[in-house]
Amino acid sequence: MTKAEFMEELEQLLAGIPVQDRREIMSDYEEHFEIGKSQGKNEAEIAMGLGSPKLIAKEMNVHYHIKQAIEQTNLRSTSRAVIASVGLGFFNLIFILGPFVAVFAVIIALFAAAGVLVVSPVLLFILEPESDLVWTLLLGVTCCSLGVLIGVGAASLSKLFFRGVLNYLRWNLNVIGGRHK
């Protein structure tokens, strides 16, 4: 593979990354070719030493999405980073996507339970209008308070979860790239 073929394929595969970041990546690989030529290697040897443009692009996409998720830690950016990481191999499909979906489902269930508990006092008054007012009021306040506590806990858990996912994705990317020691 020539330098032109390598660079063209890499640039096409990096189309999802913003132009500024893509230029930076392309500049780095231009530099790799220049250094290789100064060491007496031909373009095919340099390209083979750099690896597959497809794998490089996948890793760069994961780096980009992890960086975006760190800057804006939310469900959308974290999910994109997870999906980009899954593209790196079958291992990631099992060990990243599966646990991510499972824990995310638990967090959604916690938020749903909190919502039901918060609105339960209204339901108690609607469904049992003839019951003891003091008992219904105490039960309603207890349920509502429990709902608020579960909601706050679920919000804290979700922030911790997103940070943990991003740390794991960075570690996983380093292991796949051979940079983990």
Side-chain angles (χ1 to χ4, degrees):
M1 176 180 283
T2 66
K3 173 186 174 184
E5 293 168 339
F6 182 92
M7 297 300 282
E8 183 179 333
E9 184 177 351
L10 183 60
E11 182 143 22
Q12 287 175 354
L13 293 167
L14 294 174
I17 294 177
V19 176
Q20 181 67 22
D21 293 330
R22 193 174 342 134
R23 283 186 191 144
E24 204 172 294
I25 293 167
M26 296 304 292
S27 174
D28 289 344
Y29 281 92
E30 285 277 348
E31 191 175 319
H32 283 293
F33 275 96
E34 290 174 19
I35 291 170
K37 281 185 178 182
S38 71
Q39 295 172 344
K41 296 178 183 176
N42 64 35
E43 290 181 355
E45 291 172 329
I46 298 167
M48 192 163 40
L50 290 173
S52 163
K54 288 179 185 175
L55 183 57
I56 293 168
K58 283 181 181 180
E59 286 187 20
M60 291 298 134
N61 275 312
V62 173
H63 278 293
Y64 170 72
H65 287 296
I66 289 173
K67 179 180 150 193
Q68 290 298 107
I70 289 170
E71 290 173 4
Q72 297 178 338
T73 303
N74 57 38
L75 176 60
R76 185 177 184 188
S77 61
T78 304
S79 296
R80 285 183 177 174
V82 167
I83 291 168
S85 294
V86 167
L88 290 176
F90 182 71
F91 174 83
N92 287 348
L93 179 65
I94 295 168
F95 290 101
I96 292 178
L97 189 59
F100 177 79
V101 170
V103 174
F104 183 70
V106 169
I107 291 172
I108 293 298
L110 286 172
F111 277 116
V116 168
L117 285 169
V118 167
V119 299
S120 66
V122 175
L123 295 174
L124 283 171
F125 280 113
I126 292 172
L127 296 175
E128 296 290 332
E130 296 174 13
S131 65
D132 182 20
L133 183 62
V134 174
W135 170 250
T136 305
L137 186 61
L138 286 174
L139 185 60
V141 169
T142 302
C143 288
C144 186
S145 300
L146 186 59
V148 169
L149 286 174
I150 290 174
V152 169
S156 297
L157 183 62
S158 65
K159 288 178 185 177
L160 181 65
F161 171 65
F162 288 136
R163 273 188 297 200
V165 166
L166 293 175
N167 286 333
Y168 178 77
L169 292 177
R170 282 191 296 207
W171 174 82
N172 184 267
L173 188 58
N174 287 335
V175 168
I176 290 172
R179 292 179 291 274
H180 182 71
K181 297 185 181 183

